[in-house]
Amino acid sequence: MNYFPKYDGNIHPDEWINDIIKYYNMWEGSYGGFLITVKSLINPNIILPTEINDLVKLRDALKKDITFTTFKNLNKRKLQSLEYKSERDGGDTLKFLTDFRNLCYNSEINDIEEQKKYFIKALSNYYYFLSNFGKRMNNISSMNELIKEFEEIVMDESNTIRSGSIVALKHVATGKYLTSIEGLYYATGSKNQLVSMGSSILDSNALWKIYNCDNNNNNGFIKTNLCLEHKISKYCLGICHQIVIHQNHQSQYQNQYQYHKSPSSNHTEVNCNNGSETIWKICYDSGLENYEGYLKSNDIVNLSIIKKRYGTQDGQVEFLCSHDAQFTIGSDTFQEVFCNERLGENDEWCVELIKQA
C-alpha cells in the first residue's frame, strides 16, 4: 500500500479523491473494499466521522478538517506573494499562469473578480502588463478568458520595440532597406557619411540601434520621438546645416540655417552624423500623431524631422523619403534618400525588429 497516494492535508481533497478513483476496480474486490482502503490511506491524525459510507461524505469531512483550512490559507498566502517575471527578464509565463491557476484552485478562490484582483497584484512590477491587463479586465468573465487575454498581452509585448533594440527600416514602395556604409561619404553637400537605399536583402549595413528620445522613458519603449544610430559606424541618422549670412530687402544682414542638398534631386540631404539634428518623430497613417501605443515590429510609419530656423526651435517639418533617383560616387551608383515636406507613397517605412534590447 506504500505506493498508493496517501492523504495528509498537503493536497486538495478533490484532487486526491480524483487520483484514487482510478484504483476502484483494484480495491473493490480486495484490501477489504474500496472505501475501507481509501480511509486507510488518510493520515490517522485526521479524525473522520464514523458514519462515512461514500466518497461524497468523505470529501466533505476532509474539507471540514482543520488541515484543509490550513492548506487553503497557505495557498492564499502564496497567491498574495506571487509575482510575475517577464520572459525578457528570464521568467516563464507558462509556469506563472499554471502556478496562479493552481493556487486559486487550492485556496478555493473561484470568483473571477477576486481572481482578477490577485492577478493584478502579481503584475505590479511591470507597468506595461499592468496597464494593458487593466484595459481588458471588463472583458474577462472566466479563468480561461483571463489566461487568453494575458497571453495576447505577452505576445504583443514581445513585438513592442524597446529603446536600444536593433531594427531595420524597409522602404515600403521599393522593399529595399535604409543603408549606410562606414567610411563612405558624400562628395557634395555635408560630405558626411552617406545614406542610401540598399538591397532588398538585409545586411549589416542596414542595421540601426533605435533609442527613445521622448521626455519620459515610456517604460523603455519607443512612442513618439526616436534616434537611429547606425550599428557599425555609431553615427546617427539625421540632417545638418551650415550658418550663412543673408542680406534682406532692407539691406540688413541676418544669420540663417542653410541645409545641405541631396546630390540628385536637390531636396534636403539625409546623412549619418554626430550632430544634434538627429531626432525623428513617428507619424502613423500618413500624419496621425495621436497614436496611443508603442512602436511595434512591422509597424508602417512616416518619420519626420524639423528643419530649424536660426534662433528658434521652430521650423519646417519634412519626411524621410526615397525614390528612383540615383547618384554616383566614383564608379558606384546609389539610390537617393532625402527629406521632403510632402507626404506620399515614397515616405512609408516598415520598422522590422531584428534584436530586442
Side-chain angles (χ1 to χ4, degrees), residues 233-246:
S233 68
K234 309 300 182 186
Y235 286 128
C236 292
L237 184 74
I239 59 178
C240 57
H241 63 265
Q242 59 186 349
I243 298 176
V244 298
I245 299 175
H246 172 73

Side-chain angles (χ1 to χ4, degrees), residues 73-83 99-105 107 109 114-115 118-119 121-122:
N73 289 340
L74 172 63
N75 279 273
K76 187 174 288 188
R77 289 192 295 272
K78 289 181 178 180
L79 187 59
Q80 288 172 335
S81 61
L82 184 67
E83 293 182 350
D99 289 345
F100 178 79
R101 194 169 199 166
N102 288 339
L103 290 170
C104 286
Y105 173 80
S107 56
I109 296 175
E114 189 174 1
Q115 290 171 349
Y118 280 104
F119 198 80
K121 187 176 184 299

Side-chain angles (χ1 to χ4, degrees), residues 327-351:
F327 63 97
T328 58
I329 296 179
S331 58
D332 296 319
T333 302
F334 302 92
Q335 185 175 333
E336 187 179 61
V337 174
F338 60 95
C339 275
N340 187 13
E341 60 185 284
R342 291 176 298 175
L343 274 170
E345 64 178 11
N346 286 327
D347 39 44
E348 289 186 335
W349 303 88
C350 179
V351 184

Side-chain angles (χ1 to χ4, degrees), residues 163 211-216 218 222 225-227 278-280:
S163 184
Y211 293 101
N212 169 48
C213 294
D214 289 336
N215 291 330
N216 61 70
N218 291 328
I222 309 295
N225 297 299
L226 59 87
C227 176
T278 55
I279 296 178
W280 299 84

Side-chain angles (χ1 to χ4, degrees), residues 189-305:
S190 68
K191 298 187 178 179
N192 286 332
Q193 185 170 300
L194 71 80
V195 175
S196 65
M197 296 310 305
S199 168
S200 57
I201 300 174
L202 185 66
D203 62 34
S204 59
N205 290 318
L207 300 181
W208 305 81
K209 272 194 172 183
I210 188 168
Y211 293 101
N212 169 48
C213 294
D214 289 336
N215 291 330
N216 61 70
N217 68 4
N218 291 328
N219 304 293
F221 297 109
I222 309 295
K223 186 174 180 67
T224 305
N225 297 299
L226 59 87
C227 176
L228 289 162
E229 179 189 86
H230 189 238
K231 185 176 182 293
I232 296 177
S233 68
K234 309 300 182 186
Y235 286 128
C236 292
L237 184 74
I239 59 178
C240 57
H241 63 265
Q242 59 186 349
I243 298 176
V244 298
I245 299 175
H246 172 73
Q247 185 178 7
N248 62 24
H249 64 280
Q250 297 175 335
S251 298
Q252 294 175 329
Y253 292 94
Q254 296 175 325
N255 290 336
Q256 289 186 348
Y257 289 153
Q258 185 178 82
Y259 283 82
H260 296 289
K261 300 295 185 180
S262 60
S264 178
S265 62
N266 227 27
H267 293 302
T268 304
E269 176 197 283
V270 175
N271 56 66
C272 279
N273 65 76
N274 57 2
S276 60
E277 293 178 284
T278 55
I279 296 178
W280 299 84
K281 185 173 184 177
I282 303 171
C283 301
Y284 293 83
D285 297 330
S286 298
L288 180 64
E289 295 180 358
N290 61 346
Y291 183 76
E292 294 181 354
Y294 298 116
L295 181 65
K296 295 179 176 61
S297 184
N298 296 317
D299 273 356
I300 295 177
V301 302
N302 305 116
L303 293 175
S304 68
I305 198 165

Side-chain angles (χ1 to χ4, degrees), residues 2-24:
N2 290 331
Y3 53 87
F4 294 129
K6 297 186 177 182
Y7 181 82
D8 60 3
N10 283 306
I11 187 174
H12 196 288
D14 291 343
E15 185 177 353
W16 180 70
I17 288 176
N18 289 337
D19 284 343
I20 63 172
I21 285 176
K22 61 187 178 184
Y23 298 104
Y24 179 84

